[in-house]
Amino acid sequence: MYDVMGLGEVLIDFTPAGLDDRGRALFARNPGGAVANVVAMNALLGGRCAFTGKVGDDSFGRFLRDSLTACGVDCRCLCISRAIPTTLAFVHPDARGDRSFTFYRKPGADILLEEREVSRAALENCRFFHFGGVSLTDEPLRSTTLSAVSYARAHGALISYDPNYRAPLWHDETEASFELLSPLSEVDILKVSDEEMTLLTGVTDLAAGAEILADNGPALVLVTLGERGAFYFTRSWQGLLPAFPVTVADTTGAGDAFLGALLFCLRGKKSREELEAMTQRECREAVRFAVAAGSLTTTAAGAIPAMPSLAQIRALSDTVI
């Protein structure tokens, strides 16, 4: 039984790495992709995890497979495209560490994952099935993802979803909002940024926006707020937990580390009913642990390479803010 099975994108994040002796920008090759990041964080904490996606038959694809395997992720369901290369993204941090992206994905190998390539045995044997909005931009990946969501849910998995809005991958906000909202009726745990909450609901108030999203299906809505922390919402509890004070180097992967750590805390929940029965203390402790994981991930460059250990997260989450 897998604690988390992720289906979606795994790609190369090229992150700035200073300048060469002629003043030309250098970029470092890092493993990335939001779904892969979530699964990697969970596996690094001790979760039993699997990943399904597609990479190219190239050095980048082999690097990504080896990187996930090194984290403890089962990559037997990672597929190889011999026709299309591995998807690439260039990350452009600003002075605050926030990022914008340039994608090389027209197409990229991740888009080509077909339904027949997804292991039904893995879908039948996972506690959490996690996917993201990047999987909804193009076919055949979109149909493959939605089919897997329905199948995993029908076989008892709790569904985790991050819309992960990336403007360059959509024609416009109207299309993106419609598609990103479409799976919510099958989702149990939803993680959005505050900007994504506003895109999907049209409101900026955290409680009002989270309630609108919960009305569409999720039992637990999490709104990440960067340096302000995270807001959580259930039908019984809601609250805001501040971020931990750290020196930010790069925010890439922080939200994914947050969600991977949260799912690790909730690994004992075996049904939606158990998820809905969480006490306020359980909810706050899980979110606090997740905020600590996200905060620590911002202190180094890259996503997976920057992810902290269980001991580091526990040490930070035990401090008084």
Side-chain angles (χ1 to χ4, degrees):
M1 174 69 75
Y2 294 113
D3 293 313
V4 181
M5 177 182 175
L7 185 152
E9 79 279 11
V10 61
L11 50 82
I12 298 293
D13 280 335
F14 281 107
T15 56
L19 304 175
D20 69 8
D21 56 5
R22 296 187 180 182
R24 295 173 297 195
L26 299 174
F27 286 84
R29 177 188 67 171
N30 286 299
V35 175
N37 293 340
V38 169
V39 173
M41 180 75 264
N42 196 281
L44 286 167
L45 295 176
R48 185 162 184 257
C49 301
F51 179 81
T52 295
K54 184 171 278 192
V55 295
D57 185 18
D58 50 38
S59 62
F60 291 139
R62 290 184 284 276
F63 169 71
L64 291 171
R65 178 199 61 206
D66 292 346
S67 297
L68 287 175
T69 300
C71 292
V73 178
D74 185 340
C75 289
R76 286 177 291 178
C77 296
L78 181 64
C79 301
I80 307 295
S81 170
R82 290 179 170 79
I84 301 297
T86 299
T87 302
L88 309 177
F90 282 80
V91 184
H92 311 288
D94 62 19
R96 298 176 56 196
D98 293 327
R99 310 95 63 231
S100 60
F101 297 86
T102 301
F103 290 94
Y104 289 80
R105 190 183 184 242
K106 293 187 180 294
D110 74 293
I111 292 171
L112 302 182
L113 186 68
E114 299 180 27
E115 187 174 345
R116 63 179 177 81
E117 296 176 300
V118 179
S119 167
R120 293 207 163 191
L123 294 175
E124 292 166 5
N125 290 283
C126 58
R127 291 186 173 88
F128 291 100
F129 176 86
H130 177 66
F131 73 108
V134 170
S135 294
L136 305 180
T137 62
D138 295 270
E139 295 290 355
L141 179 58
R142 179 182 181 277
S143 294
T144 298
T145 301
L146 295 177
S147 174
V149 169
S150 295
Y151 190 85
R153 185 176 178 84
H155 285 81
L158 289 165
I159 307 300
S160 165
Y161 173 49
D162 177 2
N164 192 33
Y165 173 62
R166 295 288 178 258
L169 300 179
W170 297 95
H171 293 300
D172 54 46
E173 289 188 356
T174 300
E175 178 202 38
S177 181
F178 177 82
E179 295 292 347
L180 295 174
L181 283 168
S182 63
L184 283 195
S185 62
E186 297 197 86
V187 171
D188 300 296
I189 298 172
L190 174 69
K191 196 281 290 182
V192 294
S193 68
D194 50 345
E195 294 91 348
E196 288 163 348
M197 183 196 76
T198 300
L199 172 70
L200 299 178
T201 66
V203 302
T204 57
D205 180 79
L206 293 175
E211 184 172 16
I212 291 170
L213 293 170
D215 285 342
N216 282 274
L220 173 61
V221 176
L222 303 144
V223 186
T224 54
L225 306 167
E227 61 187 14
R228 292 185 291 142
F231 179 80
Y232 63 90
F233 181 95
T234 74
R235 288 301 177 190
S236 300
W237 319 109
Q238 59 180 272
L240 175 65
L241 288 172
F244 291 85
V246 296
T247 301
V248 175
D250 178 9
T251 59
T252 304
D256 306 327
F258 170 94
L259 185 52
L262 182 97
L263 295 179
F264 180 76
C265 287
L266 300 182
R267 64 194 182 279
K269 305 303 178 185
K270 298 179 181 179
S271 67
R272 180 161 176 127
E273 289 72 25
E274 289 187 16
L275 190 64
E276 292 173 332
M278 274 195 304
T279 66
Q280 186 174 25
R281 180 178 179 180
E282 281 183 293
C283 194
R284 288 185 64 86
E285 287 182 350
V287 175
R288 183 179 175 88
F289 182 86
V291 169
S295 296
L296 286 167
T297 301
T298 70
T299 63
I304 293 173
M307 288 178 176
S309 68
L310 179 60
Q312 288 173 317
I313 297 171
R314 283 178 171 165
L316 184 62
S317 64
D318 286 344
T319 62
V320 176
I321 301 176

